[in-house]
């Protein structure tokens, strides 16, 4: 680090460089950009970073980040509490919500099974998922948002090695329960070229073919 | 923006998305990364942003950002005050200092001539450069860091249209003064492939050829 730069600038470059996907050059460029920006642009960013965790909690039902417990989605009477879409993380909920296609509720696992990284079922919100389903099916006497029994669990973990393993693990444990278990379709993304698709994707696309 | 996310998170995503080179997806990813990070990592970043402009000033001699006036480089008795390297911005100084090759001093223009963007000589620190050189050559009686007359001005603006125009403008105005004016070499970057070089770079590489 060039030590002729003011300490506060070097400090920001160092902190920005710690963020994922931001290398030393990007960190420098961002810091200098902020230095040339008026305070009216810099202060809100700094305050947004410091205030990030204010009023943020986990929804005790779906484990998504939220401002209230239950969260807006779980507390929304217009959504079907009988269909749970299981995802790996918060940004997956953001992506799915953008489609406006799904009217059920979510369950955020906060990761995927990865023994190499020491992530087993205990590190994820898997036990909470099972408990949630069981509770909902125990009867409507518990009241609240759990009064609708869960009919379907959509496994929407990533189509990666870890995501598939996580989906498989959950599916195995839910098998004895009388609940429909589905997996999001794997196939060619819209706009893709068949010629460039890998074998596994093509295999999945063939296996998952539907009536035209 | 998914309005089920807590306000503080949406707020940070919005602020991060305003930074150059950070799109909406990157902003989301960074915000969620910070949300999962411990406060001991988040707070220093927020404070670094807010404290960025503290104790930062421009050096009245070279116009680089600094903590003192004159800055560390201008005030360094071990550096040759007779050679000024003229650059467009602060990061150019960072890049040149990394080479440890240059032992003179700098002059930061804070931009390059670009009539389309309304940037003329008045918007840059060009008059300050001329005044600095004149003052240094007016005699050693002024004292301080201006006591060494400037012998050489290295024009190290970018080899772009704007950078070349800026270099040309400065060169024209310095011509009548008895000062050596040089331009950084333009040619093939180390590791490049001649086959893929553009015509202008190759022309410059040929014109600037040296004895082997």
């Amino acid at each position: 680090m060039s030590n002729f730069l003011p300490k506060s600038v070097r400090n920001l470059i160092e902190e920005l460089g710690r963020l994922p996907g931001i290398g030393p050059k990007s960190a420098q460029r961002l810091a200098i950009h902020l230095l040339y920006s008026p305070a009216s642009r810099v202060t809100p960013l700094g305050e947004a970073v410091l205030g990030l965790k204010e009023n943020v909690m986990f929804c005790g039902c779906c484990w998504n980040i939220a401002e209230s417990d239950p969260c807006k989605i779980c507390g929304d009477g217009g959504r079907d509490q009988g269909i749970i879409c299981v995802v790996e993380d918060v940004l997956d909920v953001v992506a799915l919500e953008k489609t406006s296609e799904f009217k059920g509720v979510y369950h955020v696992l906060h990761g995927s099974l990865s023994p190499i990284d020491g992530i087993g079922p205990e590190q994820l919100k898997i036990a909470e998922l099972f408990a949630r389903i069981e509770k909902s099916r125990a009867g409507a006497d518990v009241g609240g948002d759990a009064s609708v029994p869960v009919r379907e669990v959509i496994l929407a973990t990533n189509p990666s090695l870890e995501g598939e393993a996580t989906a498989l693990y959950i599916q195995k444990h839910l098998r004895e329960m009388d609940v429909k278990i589905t997996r999001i379709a794997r196939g060619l993304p819209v706009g893709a070229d068949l010629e460039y698709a890998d074998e596994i994707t093509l295999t999945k696309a063939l296996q998952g073919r539907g009536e035209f």
Side-chain angles (χ1 to χ4, degrees), chain A residues 66-139:
Chain A
E67 267 175 324
S68 57
D69 181 12
C71 70
K72 274 188 190 169
I73 296 177
C74 287
D76 184 346
R79 301 191 71 126
D80 188 346
Q81 307 284 339
I83 305 178
I84 296 181
C85 181
V86 179
V87 294
E88 289 181 22
D89 62 47
V90 177
L91 291 179
D92 298 334
V93 179
V94 173
L96 285 164
E97 280 297 286
K98 269 198 193 131
T99 66
S100 306
E101 183 64 32
F102 182 62
K103 298 294 177 206
V105 290
Y106 295 92
H107 192 91
V108 183
L109 298 174
H110 291 279
S112 52
L113 293 176
S114 177
I116 277 186
D117 303 313
I119 300 177
E122 313 76 40
Q123 276 73 45
L124 306 177
K125 300 292 177 194
I126 288 183
E128 286 82 353
L129 172 66
F130 297 158
R132 179 179 173 190
I133 297 168
E134 265 170 33
K135 191 179 157 198
S136 83
R137 299 181 67 84

Side-chain angles (χ1 to χ4, degrees), chain A residues 162-197:
Chain A
E162 292 81 7
E164 295 288 358
T166 312
L168 207 66
Y169 179 89
I170 295 173
Q171 184 248 343
K172 268 188 189 163
H173 282 75
L174 288 181
R175 222 161 13 189
E176 51 256 48
M177 279 195 237
D178 177 28
V179 63
K180 189 175 164 190
I181 306 166
T182 54
R183 178 89 174 100
I184 45 160
R186 283 140 303 171
L188 288 170
V190 175
D193 198 325
L194 206 115
E195 189 180 336
Y196 293 104

